[in-house]
Amino acid sequence: MYCIDSQIIARQLFDWNHFVKIYDVRNNFTLKSISEQDRSRAKTAIILNCECKATQNLIFEASQFRYFNKTYQWLLWDFHNNNCFNHLQQPGLNYLGPNAQIVVLKYEEPHYLLWWDVHSKGRHLKADLEIHLVAKATYSNETLQFVTNNDINDIQGIRYRGDFEGLKLRGATVIDQDNITDNEQIEQILSRSSKDPGVSAFTKYHYELFNILRHRLNFTVKFRNARGWAGHLDNSSYRLGFLGIMQRNEADIGASAAYPRLNRFAEFDSLHEGWKFHTAFLYLYTPDLHAQSRKGNFLAPFEEHVWLGSLIILNLVGLVWIVEERVKSYLTKITTRNVEVFKGIGGRFVIPFNILAAICQQGLDPVPTGASARVITVTSFLFSLVMYNYYTSSVVGGLLSATDKGPSTVDEIISSPLRLSFEDIGYYKVKFRENKEPSIAKLLNKKVLPPRDPYDLPVYTNLETAIPYIQKGGYAFHCEEVDAYPELAKIFTDSEICDLRAVSGLLGSALMNWIVHKNSQYTEIFRHMLNNHLIKNTFARDCTKALFESITWSKKLANY
């Protein structure tokens, strides 16, 4: 058919108002009116003649740059050959999935025109092209008469694309355990309702969401396990872990989620935000964690080593003063025996009393006359002034304090005598290895890197091992609160629950993103399924109930 025939057919299609609707931009209209009128959508339409020589390369580039999606409606003209179908099945054409909006116009002898909807469940997985008739019309004497006229919105909808017929998708998840590579192992661990080492709570939550999609869309999956979520290879731009697998499009769906950092929105599509990731240091409050707890103990403002160090300094000052007096007495060459005896007695008794007077900020008697003695006296006064100001402010602050809170920030946790431990899971190790913040460096140097005794709580461990140490006091364990609270409630007494403290801030709190590769060919269909079936799913209701119970338990802790 000639170009003039294509123009005539296109013009008559416009008149029929079937595929394309023309809007005059010079007239007033709103996007809402366009989207709601006759179920049409404002899209970019591309009409392509498959008989052109460059068509094959153009279709390949459209796949490579991911233009077969919900944004672009493709109309491929193919009258004499099967070029369009051949081009759509060429090797390397991997991005053609259920989101594709492709209509192929074919000519059939003697005078029929047929419009076929073409899509696939995933050409990169060797899935076949699926073809459904949209419309059939006769064309003669430059007139178009439809014989069959199906709803294109229905054909390009879920009813025709919602069954993957057992197609095996590529999956990814995170289980931080050794030798977990078999698909059955991965599914067995993720399907357990109990807490497993190296598996985050939000991973199991998103695994159940994945099961909703698997059941509804009827596909299978081959999982690939990553030991962690993020990280880079030797400080390069090559991503490791779960995020690296998803970014390189090595998985179609993940049974885990990612933290919503700004730079990740350009690399991933988000399917769902439903799990609030919240971690904290959990420790039992004990009197040695805060000076305010010992209001009746006036030694509390200073630690034992401070008192001991101050006593040593004062003794050294007194010794220097005595030596100075002795040297001065010899230099003045006093020969009277009675005077020498008096000087010796003064050196032994008057100087200690003068040091005590300086500490108490009282006057001295006799007043030192030598320059060296006066320098020592002024130094003692300044030392006592600094110590006194800190001491009195600490005592008054403790007396005015209403409650004993203990360390309430990450910096206070680091400076406290608490021994720290972390859940043995990947995101801590990546954060400690790649984060260069001063607070993280301080945490590493003071709490993580120093060696520990074999019987001590390890730096990385699981919740079951850490609970007895938390209950004993002097230890803080960092993990997801939703994992810890139910277990602590089973073991801790009411008094211990009152003394339990939670300090967040090391890892930010946020709604986790269930992600796929940017412009994934499954983004739209996965989102649709979740939006329509998530609330109806029994597990989702159970998870929501458990989440609210955890939040309620947290609020009860805050009220103690």
Side-chain angles (χ1 to χ4, degrees):
M1 299 182 69
Y2 298 98
C3 182
I4 186 65
D5 298 324
S6 302
Q7 293 180 4
I8 293 172
I9 292 174
R11 189 182 306 113
Q12 292 192 15
L13 285 174
F14 297 158
D15 295 337
W16 273 74
N17 194 23
H18 188 68
F19 289 110
V20 180
K21 185 171 289 186
I22 300 175
Y23 291 90
D24 190 348
V25 295
R26 295 171 296 182
N27 298 330
N28 293 327
F29 63 88
T30 64
L31 289 176
K32 183 177 181 182
S33 65
I34 295 175
S35 62
E36 292 182 354
Q37 185 176 359
D38 297 331
R39 298 181 63 191
S40 63
R41 299 292 184 269
K43 292 183 178 180
T44 299
I46 302 172
I47 301 177
L48 183 62
N49 189 346
C50 290
E51 296 182 1
C52 296
K53 294 182 178 180
T55 302
Q56 182 174 358
N57 292 334
L58 193 149
I59 290 177
F60 182 83
E61 290 183 2
S63 171
Q64 183 180 8
F65 294 106
R66 299 176 177 271
Y67 285 118
F68 292 137
N69 54 40
K70 297 288 287 185
T71 302
Y72 300 93
Q73 180 74 53
W74 293 78
L75 182 59
L76 308 183
W77 302 76
D78 191 357
F79 294 106
H80 299 298
N81 303 301
N82 289 320
N83 290 341
C84 287
F85 295 110
N86 293 334
H87 295 339
L88 293 174
Q89 297 183 77
Q90 61 180 301
L93 194 77
N94 293 327
Y95 186 81
L96 201 166
N99 290 344
Q101 309 288 289
I102 303 173
V103 175
V104 176
L105 175 58
K106 288 278 295 177
Y107 178 74
E108 185 179 89
E109 297 291 348
H111 50 262
Y112 287 107
L113 293 175
L114 294 91
W115 286 265
W116 299 93
D117 172 72
V118 180
H119 75 277
S120 173
K121 299 306 189 300
R123 289 293 297 161
H124 67 295
L125 301 174
K126 310 303 180 184
D128 296 330
L129 289 180
E130 299 188 21
I131 305 172
H132 299 281
L133 182 65
V134 177
K136 181 177 182 180
T138 60
Y139 178 72
S140 61
N141 299 325
E142 297 186 357
T143 60
L144 192 68
Q145 183 68 39
F146 280 94
V147 178
T148 302
N149 187 0
N150 297 316
D151 187 356
I152 189 173
N153 292 287
D154 179 54
I155 290 178
Q156 291 186 344
I158 293 299
R159 187 156 69 98
Y160 288 86
R161 307 192 179 198
D163 187 358
F164 282 28
E165 299 178 351
L167 183 67
K168 181 174 288 188
L169 300 186
R170 303 167 302 167
T173 190
V174 182
I175 300 176
D176 195 3
Q177 298 181 18
D178 294 329
N179 303 320
I180 302 298
T181 57
D182 184 75
N183 206 67
E184 293 184 2
Q185 285 181 299
I186 295 172
E187 297 249 23
Q188 184 180 15
I189 293 173
L190 295 181
S191 61
R192 284 199 290 260
S193 59
S194 58
K195 173 67 176 173
D196 282 277
V199 184
S200 65
F202 64 81
T203 293
K204 291 199 172 185
Y205 171 78
H206 288 91
Y207 173 75
E208 295 300 333
L209 296 183
F210 155 79
N211 280 333
I212 295 175
L213 292 180
R214 175 163 57 178
H215 174 74
R216 180 63 181 84
L217 293 173
N218 186 28
F219 61 79
T220 60
V221 69
K222 170 61 177 177
F223 274 116
R224 175 179 172 182
N225 183 39
R227 293 294 298 265
W229 282 263
H232 293 85
L233 180 63
D234 297 330
N235 296 322
S236 66
S237 60
Y238 186 84
R239 280 187 183 271
L240 299 174
F242 177 76
L243 291 178
I245 295 173
M246 302 303 294
Q247 181 197 32
R248 293 186 296 273
N249 197 25
E250 296 172 1
D252 303 306
I253 187 170
S256 189
Y259 195 78
R261 301 190 185 279
L262 288 177
N263 64 321
R264 294 175 182 172
F265 290 107
E267 301 172 337
F268 306 103
D269 284 337
S270 177
L271 300 178
H272 169 72
E273 288 184 344
W275 183 271
K276 184 66 173 293
F277 178 68
H278 191 76
T279 60
F281 284 106
L282 301 177
Y283 69 93
L284 205 63
Y285 181 78
T286 52
D288 61 314
L289 293 179
H290 207 286
Q292 296 174 356
S293 65
R294 295 177 285 178
K295 298 175 183 177
N297 185 357
F298 288 98
L299 298 177
F302 296 138
E303 300 292 336
E304 292 182 1
H305 63 275
V306 177
W307 287 112
L308 181 60
S310 300
L311 184 60
I312 293 174
I313 290 173
L314 294 176
N315 286 330
L316 290 176
V317 169
L319 180 61
V320 171
W321 200 341
I322 291 174
V323 171
E324 187 270 340
E325 290 290 341
R326 289 287 186 180
V327 171
K328 186 174 66 173
S329 65
Y330 280 113
L331 292 177
T332 54
K333 300 179 180 180
I334 299 177
T335 57
T336 306
R337 183 175 180 81
N338 293 334
V339 174
E340 291 179 355
V341 172
F342 175 78
K343 290 286 185 180
I345 295 174
R348 287 192 298 269
F349 295 101
V350 175
I351 290 176
F353 279 109
N354 283 343
I355 292 175
L356 181 61
I359 295 301
C360 297
Q361 299 184 4
Q362 302 297 319
L364 304 183
D365 186 25
V367 177
T369 57
S372 301
R374 290 189 175 189
V375 169
I376 295 173
T377 304
V378 171
T379 304
S380 301
F381 270 110
L382 291 177
F383 175 81
S384 65
L385 181 63
V386 173
M387 299 284 285
Y388 179 78
N389 284 340
Y390 180 83
Y391 180 88
T392 54
S393 61
S394 299
V395 171
V396 173
L399 294 174
L400 295 177
S401 178
T403 58
D404 299 327
K405 296 182 179 180
S408 57
T409 65
V410 175
D411 286 337
E412 291 179 0
I413 287 284
I414 297 173
S415 301
S416 71
L418 287 168
R419 305 279 281 178
L420 305 187
S421 183
F422 305 86
E423 186 176 5
D424 191 5
I425 202 163
Y427 43 73
Y428 293 108
K429 302 166 188 176
V430 173
K431 184 177 182 67
F432 293 156
R433 184 178 68 246
E434 299 192 354
N435 197 305
K436 306 302 181 183
E437 294 179 3
S439 59
I440 300 299
K442 182 180 178 182
L443 174 63
L444 287 172
N445 294 330
K446 293 192 65 174
K447 300 293 186 179
V448 177
L449 298 179
R452 301 193 178 192
D453 297 328
Y455 57 83
D456 201 357
L457 184 65
V459 174
Y460 299 106
T461 186
N462 55 60
L463 180 62
E464 293 180 356
T465 304
I467 285 180
Y469 289 87
I470 299 174
Q471 191 174 21
K472 182 174 62 175
Y475 290 87
F477 184 66
H478 198 276
C479 63
E480 280 192 80
E481 290 181 326
V482 70
D483 284 331
Y485 286 152
E487 299 301 321
L488 295 176
K490 298 175 185 177
I491 300 174
F492 278 26
T493 64
D494 292 342
S495 176
E496 289 171 337
I497 292 176
C498 291
D499 290 333
L500 186 65
R501 302 288 186 269
V503 178
S504 58
L506 181 64
L507 301 178
S509 177
L511 288 173
M512 300 299 287
N513 283 348
W514 193 20
I515 60 172
V516 291
H517 185 266
K518 191 67 177 179
N519 296 324
S520 168
Q521 54 195 311
Y522 299 111
T523 299
E524 295 294 338
I525 193 169
F526 286 171
R527 281 178 179 169
H528 177 85
M529 289 300 174
L530 287 172
N531 290 337
N532 286 275
H533 298 278
L534 180 59
I535 303 302
K536 300 176 184 179
N537 185 269
T538 304
F539 176 82
R541 292 199 302 268
D542 293 342
C543 282
T544 304
K545 180 180 178 182
L547 187 59
F548 278 117
E549 288 178 352
S550 176
I551 294 173
T552 303
W553 209 82
S554 302
K555 291 180 178 178
K556 288 181 179 179
L557 282 178
N559 294 330
Y560 271 106

